[in-house]
Each structure stands twice: as C-alpha cells, then as structure tokens.
Amino acid sequence: MAHSSVARVGRDAISETLGREIVDGAHRPGAVLTLESLQQRFGVSRTVARDSVKVLESHGLLYSKRRIGLVVTAAEHWDVMSPSVIGWRLASADARGAFIELTQLRIAVETEAAALAAARRTEVQAQQMLDLAATMRRLGESEQLTEFITADIAFHRLMLEAGGNSMFAALADVVAEVLTGRTKHGLMPTRPMPEALDAHDGVARAIADKDPREARRYMEILVDEVRSALEQ
C-alpha cells in the first residue's frame, strides 16, 4: 500500500510538471520525449514514468508513436475542458487569454443555467443560494478571500446543479478551476467588487423568486463584470 502511494505521488508530480511545461511552450508541438529520458530526469521507475505519460495522453498533450517516442501535440488536440489542462493554462504565460476564453464559456453557459435554476430549483436549493450569497457578502466585505472563494465555488456549483441539466452540472469543476485560478494567479481583487456581490445577491433572489428572466439578467451582469476586469 505504501509503495503504491509513493508511486502515485511520483506519477502525479511528473504529469503535473510536464503538463505545465507543455502548455507553457517549453516542449513545442512535435517534440519527442522518451520513457528513458523521463526516468533519468525524475529518477523514477519505468512503470511510474509510463503511468505519468498515460495521464498526459488522456489529456491529449502527448501521443505515442512507434519507434519514435512520445510526441508533444499542438493545442488544438488538448482536452481543454479538463480541469487539469485548465489549471495548467491558467498558470501559463497566456493565463489572461485563457481566463478570457473561459469567461466567454461562462457567459454562454451560466446565464442559461441561472434561468433554468430559477425554473426548476427546490425550496432547499433556493434557501441555500440565498445563504451562500449572504455568506459571500460577509466574507467579501471582511476581505476573507480564501473563504470567499470556497463559498463562491459552492454558489456556482449549486446553481449549475439546480437546473437539473446534467451537462451544466458537469461543468461545475471547470468553473471551480476558473474561480480558484483567478485568485491563485492574482487576477482577483483582495476585496470583491460591490457590483459582483450585488449580482450574486440578485441571482440568488431571482432563483428563489422563480424568475428566470431576472436570474439570467443578474448572471449576465456578474460574468460581464469578470470579463471587464480581465480585459482591463
């Protein structure tokens, strides 16, 4: 069991390092890696190196070519919806561009998800949304940013789930990665903007009131505020 745990840590550390490097351009498309070079670089067994490669292959960052090795792929082959790939993009030199793309996705999805949540939410979910919005205001105004982000993630996850659309709900981890990454990489103010807090309140109230039009309107305000902040 202990040996398996150590191997897993090694695998995850290697795939994390290589993933960041590939996404950040340290290994250009078409570059070739080998298991032997990874074993030598990281001081791991062939099994651990192979497991690390499988993780990156699953994200579309590498593919195996017989008698050649492990070929780095171009960005159009990456699984851009994978939370891991999103995290690596947000840690790259093009973090701002990645944030803008992800915010555009949020505009397309979360505005409709908010309207759907207003139409289909349960009473329990409605109260939870109101409670989370109130918690976010308290934490935001007292500049408790770490706790604020935790509540913000819970708010958006609940909203995506409340509409009963499994495709929207599946995007919860993507949105969570975006919200976490914005803070981690210094693109979030220490004190959340009052307009953002007001918009969260508006979304929660509209969902509780079963008002899809208002829920969509407030969510548009919220994500547009994020886009404007990133584009400045």
Side-chain angles (χ1 to χ4, degrees):
M1 180 70 71
H3 175 76
S4 175
S5 176
V6 170
R8 185 164 56 253
V9 170
R11 179 203 67 190
D12 292 346
I14 295 169
S15 61
E16 179 72 18
T17 298
L18 290 176
R20 285 176 179 266
E21 290 177 351
I22 291 170
V23 169
D24 207 25
H27 305 287
R28 307 301 296 176
V32 176
L33 306 175
T34 64
L35 289 177
E36 291 75 15
S37 67
L38 298 182
Q39 286 178 259
Q40 184 174 18
R41 176 183 174 184
F42 294 102
V44 297
S45 69
R46 190 176 184 85
T47 298
V48 173
R50 185 183 296 111
D51 288 345
S52 303
V53 166
K54 287 180 180 177
V55 172
L56 296 174
E57 286 179 326
S58 73
H59 295 314
L61 273 65
L62 292 173
Y63 70 92
S64 298
K65 191 169 185 179
R66 192 173 182 182
R67 296 197 177 97
I68 299 295
L70 307 164
V71 183
V72 176
T73 63
E76 57 262 30
H77 299 291
W78 301 346
D79 178 7
V80 294
M81 297 298 286
S82 160
S84 293
V85 175
I86 289 171
W88 296 330
R89 291 186 70 199
L90 296 182
S92 73
D94 188 36
R96 188 171 295 274
F99 270 113
I100 290 172
E101 285 189 3
L102 289 161
T103 300
Q104 290 167 344
L105 173 66
R106 291 183 61 193
I107 291 169
V109 171
E110 287 199 281
T111 51
E112 183 61 29
L116 198 58
R120 297 182 176 177
R121 93 297 185 274
T122 65
E123 291 297 327
V124 170
Q125 289 170 329
Q127 188 58 54
Q128 289 174 330
M129 294 288 294
L130 291 168
D131 291 344
L132 283 167
T135 297
M136 289 175 63
R137 180 171 292 280
R138 174 175 57 80
L139 294 171
E141 290 177 346
S142 60
E143 299 184 7
Q144 299 180 63
L145 193 55
T146 299
E147 295 83 357
F148 174 87
I149 292 301
T150 298
D152 196 13
I153 290 171
F155 181 95
H156 288 272
R157 183 179 297 276
L158 179 58
M159 186 199 70
L160 288 166
E161 293 172 349
N165 182 309
S166 61
M167 300 297 288
F168 287 170
L171 292 173
D173 287 343
V174 171
V175 174
E177 191 67 40
V178 175
L179 295 172
T180 301
R182 186 185 176 195
T183 304
K184 186 186 301 182
H185 301 295
L187 295 172
M188 176 76 180
T190 303
R191 186 186 180 97
M193 298 293 290
E195 296 85 353
L197 297 175
D198 291 343
H200 280 92
D201 284 341
V203 171
R205 285 197 308 271
I207 289 174
D209 292 341
K210 292 192 173 183
D211 189 337
R213 181 177 295 181
E214 280 294 278
R216 181 184 286 108
R217 184 175 74 84
Y218 275 110
M219 182 54 68
E220 286 173 348
I221 292 172
L222 177 58
V223 290
D224 195 57
E225 181 274 326
V226 175
R227 178 175 57 186
S228 297
L230 291 172
E231 291 177 345
Q232 287 177 0

